[in-house]
Amino acid sequence: MPANILDIARDKVLEEGIGLNQNEVYQALTVPDEDLQDLLNLAHHVRIRHCGVEVSLEGIISLKTGGCPEDCHFCSQSGLFESPVRAVTLNIAELVEAAKQSEKMGASEFCIVAAVKGPTQNLLDQVREAVTAIDAEVDISISASLGILTRDQAAQLRDMGVSRYNHNFETARSFFPNVVTTHTWEERKNTLEFVRAEGMETCCGGIIGLGETLEQRAEFAVQLAEVEPHEVPLNFLDPRPGTPFADRPLVPQGEALRAVAAFRLAMPTAQLRFAGGTELALGDDGTEAGLLGGANAIIGGNYLTTLGRPIERDRDAVDRVTSLGIPSVYSTLKAL
């Protein structure tokens, strides 16, 4: 009889720190309901052993919102779709204030985002000015997400003090052409290689529920693991009016929790961060269940174009989960 996936993961991931392969991730994504609690409990033990008990809170803000020339089918910031998002650019004072508010709520990282295919030199100069202003007033690590980079642009970001760069794969390589047609999956991977070569940390994740099969979801997890990201933002589709994916269904809670645990078991040492759509997939109070099922980081408060929970509630959730000991995990999951 083949070994149970929980036994495989316990020996391979928990004890040895080796991530599951694609077939094993698929098995984790398809565990029966009666094994889900045990899967989540195991994923939590893995993240405690290989990442520690700390849960990270991050603030995020868009320097430039809307008007993007790309056709990412899930995104309301694309200028190609009839979505309600309007182009907006923030000034430096607004960015500094947002960073201060993030620090006040205990965030250790602040991410500056722009809706562009890739940054112009003018945009990079704006980011440099923002980083300098934030560093002068706020004690917080600064990351950025500005689209596809050249090697020189990655070097500029490193020199101005950006410590981590986000560029998501979004989905499995085999499914990517169904999601984006204006650039390639390979272009995204090249950007991550430039970022790593310049000594910055890499942040790469994506969105669960774009229409991919469970087999492709497993493919996505191992492709992420192969690039060894420091941080993996885990989003769940929040269908946006006016986009091609406006009518896609929400990810059911059980399916979402399986994804959280499976991605942790594929990447035992990565920072797995809840991002957009978490409240929709897991339920308003399900964030804590996910943090007790493998995740160890949250983007607090609102996202780029959608509302999250008030950042105070995210701070409370982080504090509660961090205070729990291993013996109480299983009973806590049952109560949520």
Side-chain angles (χ1 to χ4, degrees):
M1 178 181 293
N4 181 285
I5 186 57
L6 294 174
D7 294 332
I8 293 172
R10 191 172 291 109
D11 293 340
K12 183 176 181 179
V13 189
L14 182 63
E15 299 301 331
E16 299 182 37
I18 300 172
L20 298 182
N21 63 33
Q22 186 168 329
N23 178 62
E24 292 162 346
V25 173
Y26 175 76
Q27 292 180 60
L29 289 169
T30 55
V31 297
D33 289 344
E34 58 267 27
D35 290 335
L36 177 55
Q37 298 270 7
D38 289 334
L39 178 71
L40 294 167
N41 194 43
L42 175 58
H44 182 73
H45 279 72
V46 167
R47 81 95 163 159
I48 293 293
R49 175 168 296 186
H50 296 291
C51 300
V53 298
E54 181 181 356
V55 178
S56 167
L57 185 64
E58 176 186 9
I60 186 170
I61 195 166
S62 184
L63 171 61
K64 176 190 173 296
T65 302
C68 182
E70 303 304 284
D71 73 345
C72 304
H73 291 12
F74 55 83
C75 186
S76 59
Q77 298 201 63
S78 173
L80 304 177
F81 307 144
E82 296 291 332
S83 53
V85 173
R86 297 292 177 260
V88 176
T89 301
L90 298 182
N91 60 43
I92 301 302
E94 290 172 313
L95 293 174
V96 172
E97 180 58 31
K100 287 180 178 178
Q101 291 303 312
S102 294
E103 180 192 34
K104 182 180 179 181
M105 292 310 302
S108 58
E109 184 176 351
F110 183 71
C111 187
I112 300 173
V113 182
V116 292
K117 180 172 185 175
T120 62
Q121 188 57 49
N122 180 62
L123 178 59
L124 287 172
D125 291 342
Q126 288 179 283
V127 172
R128 180 181 290 105
E129 184 181 355
V131 171
T132 300
I134 292 169
D135 279 343
E137 298 191 44
V138 189
D139 182 17
I140 199 165
S141 177
I142 300 175
S143 57
S145 181
L146 311 173
I148 295 168
L149 299 178
T150 65
R151 177 70 180 266
D152 175 70
Q153 290 170 334
Q156 288 189 58
L157 289 167
R158 176 207 62 205
D159 291 345
M160 68 179 70
V162 172
S163 61
R164 183 178 291 179
Y165 193 80
N166 164 255
H167 199 52
N168 291 337
F169 280 163
E170 305 300 6
T171 191
R173 185 175 186 174
S174 67
F175 191 67
F176 190 86
N178 297 289
V179 179
V180 184
T181 68
T182 48
H183 60 267
T184 66
W185 188 93
E186 288 75 16
E187 287 179 277
R188 291 181 176 241
K189 186 176 181 182
N190 288 341
T191 289
L192 294 170
E193 291 174 351
F194 293 149
V195 167
R196 186 188 300 276
E198 291 301 330
M200 286 183 287
E201 293 184 349
T202 55
C203 173
C204 183
I207 306 174
I208 302 299
L210 296 175
E212 76 280 3
T213 64
L214 291 179
E215 289 85 355
Q216 287 169 322
R217 200 169 293 172
E219 175 197 345
F220 178 33
V222 298
Q223 286 168 346
L224 285 171
E226 286 170 0
V227 300
E228 299 180 335
H230 294 84
E231 177 180 338
V232 179
L234 197 59
N235 300 267
F236 299 92
L237 181 64
D238 180 353
R240 295 287 84 202
T243 67
F245 288 175
D247 296 325
R248 293 282 166 97
L250 298 178
V251 179
Q253 185 185 54
E255 190 175 318
L257 288 170
R258 285 173 174 83
V260 174
F263 275 59
R264 167 55 66 204
L265 296 176
M267 295 172 280
T269 62
Q271 190 173 63
L272 189 59
R273 187 179 298 277
F274 281 148
T278 300
E279 294 78 20
L280 294 175
L282 298 182
D284 188 47
D285 295 321
T287 299
E288 290 177 46
L291 290 172
L292 293 170
N296 63 332
I298 305 177
I299 292 178
N302 296 334
Y303 308 117
L304 297 178
T305 60
T306 58
L307 298 177
R309 302 192 304 179
I311 195 170
E312 294 82 1
R313 291 188 61 190
D314 288 324
R315 177 74 264 170
D316 290 343
V318 167
D319 290 342
R320 284 194 298 272
V321 168
T322 303
S323 69
L324 289 172
I326 288 292
S328 63
V329 170
Y330 188 80
S331 61
T332 303
L333 280 169
K334 280 190 167 183
L336 288 173

